[in-house]
Amino acid sequence: MIAVVEANSPAPLPRNAPDGLAWQQLAPGLALGEYTPAKKSGIGDSKITVIRIDPKRYTFRLMESARFKNQRRTAAQWCQQEKLIVCINAGMYEPDGRNVGYMRSHKFVNNAVFNADNCLLAFSPIDSLRPEIKLIDRGCAADWEQQAQCYQSVSQSIRMIDCHRRNTWAQQPKKWSSAVWGIDKDGQALMIFCRSPYTMHDYADILLQSPLNIQQAMYLEGGPEASLYVKSGRTERNLVGSYETDFNENDDSREAFALPNVIGIVRK
C-alpha cells in the first residue's frame, strides 16, 4: 500500500470518473490524479499517483545537495526547507550524489558528462520562444545537445516513451516501484509515482494506455528510493517506494530515503 499522509482530512478524490482517472484540483494549474490500471501488479494496490502541472503557472527548480553542503534530504524535507509545493527524484545518482547522467542547473554543473541514456529533461529556457519544459529525445533530435544548451536546467535519464509515443524499454523480468516524469499532449508536466512494482516495459505500456494523454516519459528512480511529495492547501501526500528485484523484494519499506537531487515547483 502507498504510504500516504493526509493533512486535516482533505476531500477525497471523486471515484466516478468514467475512464478510471480521478482528479483533484489543488490550485490553479495544479492537480492530483489517481489511476488504477487494469493490469495489476500482484503486490500492493497498483495505484498510480500523478501530479499534473501547468508550466505557465509554475517554475521548476532543480535542487542538488552539492549546492547545500552535501546535505541530503527526503522529498518532504526538500519541500519544507526550500518552500517547494511538490518534488520528485531528479534522477538516479552515484554514491557521491552526482547524477548518473548529465545534470546542470544554471551555472552549477552536477555532472558534465553525457552518458548513453536517450532522454533529457530540460526547463527554464533562456528565451521565451521555447516551451517552459521539454523532454529532449536524443533519438529524434540530431541537434539535441544544442537544444539542451537553450535551457538553464537539464537532467539526463532513461527514455521510456519516445517522441513518437513508442515504448522504448525492453522487456525484462525485474520489476520495482517507480518515479517517472511525463509530458502530456497539452505540454503539461506529469510527476508520476507507483509504489506497486512493474517491469518498466509493462509500466510504459500502462502509461500509454492510460487516460493521461501522455506524450513522452523519462524514468527517474525506482525501488525504495522512488519518492514523491506534495503539499498544497489541506492536501498532503508523502509517497515512498519499496519493492525492487534483487535489492528489496518486499512491500514493507515505509521510510523515505534522503535524496541528493530533486526537482520541485514553486508558483510564478
Side-chain angles (χ1 to χ4, degrees), residues 26 88 98 100 113 118 127 192 240:
L26 301 179
I88 196 169
R98 288 181 303 115
V100 169
V113 179
N118 282 316
D127 61 63
I192 308 169
V240 298

Side-chain angles (χ1 to χ4, degrees), residues 90-92 99-101 115-121 135-138 155-162 168-170 172 176 179-181 200 216-222:
M92 296 175 291
N99 196 53
V100 169
N115 65 13
D117 293 338
N118 282 316
C119 202
L120 303 170
L121 171 58
L135 282 179
I136 302 170
D137 188 331
R138 295 173 68 179
S155 182
Q156 181 184 20
S157 193
I158 301 171
R159 179 179 60 182
M160 290 185 69
I161 299 172
D162 71 10
T168 60
W169 201 299
Q172 59 183 349
W176 50 80
V180 171
W181 192 283
M200 289 302 99
Q216 291 176 260
M218 184 178 92
Y219 177 78
L220 296 175
E221 186 58 277

Side-chain angles (χ1 to χ4, degrees), residues 150-182:
C150 294
Y151 287 84
Q152 297 181 77
S153 293
V154 180
S155 182
Q156 181 184 20
S157 193
I158 301 171
R159 179 179 60 182
M160 290 185 69
I161 299 172
D162 71 10
C163 65
H164 302 295
R165 298 193 75 242
R166 295 179 301 202
N167 182 350
T168 60
W169 201 299
Q171 187 61 281
Q172 59 183 349
K174 295 182 178 181
K175 58 185 179 180
W176 50 80
S177 308
S178 60
V180 171
W181 192 283

Side-chain angles (χ1 to χ4, degrees), residues 231-244:
K231 185 173 183 181
S232 178
R234 298 175 63 196
T235 298
E236 183 178 15
R237 296 285 195 279
N238 188 16
L239 310 181
V240 298
S242 185
Y243 192 101
E244 182 176 349

Side-chain angles (χ1 to χ4, degrees), residues 26-157:
L26 301 179
L30 184 66
L32 166 67
E34 291 181 346
Y35 174 69
T36 302
K39 184 179 180 66
K40 300 300 188 289
S41 164
I43 298 173
D45 59 13
S46 303
K47 185 183 296 181
I48 297 170
T49 301
V50 184
I51 304 297
R52 187 178 63 195
I53 306 153
D54 182 352
K56 295 182 177 63
R57 293 180 176 270
Y58 294 87
T59 297
F60 296 83
R61 290 186 175 172
L62 177 55
M63 314 299 296
E64 301 144 302
S65 61
R67 293 191 287 126
F68 295 87
K69 299 180 180 179
N70 292 314
Q71 293 181 358
R72 302 187 185 197
R73 303 167 180 172
T74 66
Q77 290 169 340
W78 277 110
C79 284
Q80 292 158 3
Q81 295 180 35
E82 302 304 325
K83 303 187 186 313
L84 306 173
I85 303 167
V86 186
C87 82
I88 196 169
N89 308 75
M92 296 175 291
Y93 54 89
E94 303 286 1
D96 63 2
R98 288 181 303 115
N99 196 53
V100 169
Y102 180 86
M103 179 178 279
R104 167 177 53 81
S105 179
H106 297 264
K107 294 183 178 180
F108 180 82
V109 178
N110 175 290
N111 186 346
V113 179
F114 290 101
N115 65 13
D117 293 338
N118 282 316
C119 202
L120 303 170
L121 171 58
F123 49 92
S124 300
I126 61 175
D127 61 63
S128 60
L129 301 178
R130 297 181 181 274
E132 295 280 346
I133 189 161
K134 183 178 179 67
L135 282 179
I136 302 170
D137 188 331
R138 295 173 68 179
C140 295
D143 64 341
W144 60 267
E145 195 164 1
Q146 289 79 8
Q147 286 192 42
Q149 293 304 316
C150 294
Y151 287 84
Q152 297 181 77
S153 293
V154 180
S155 182
Q156 181 184 20
S157 193

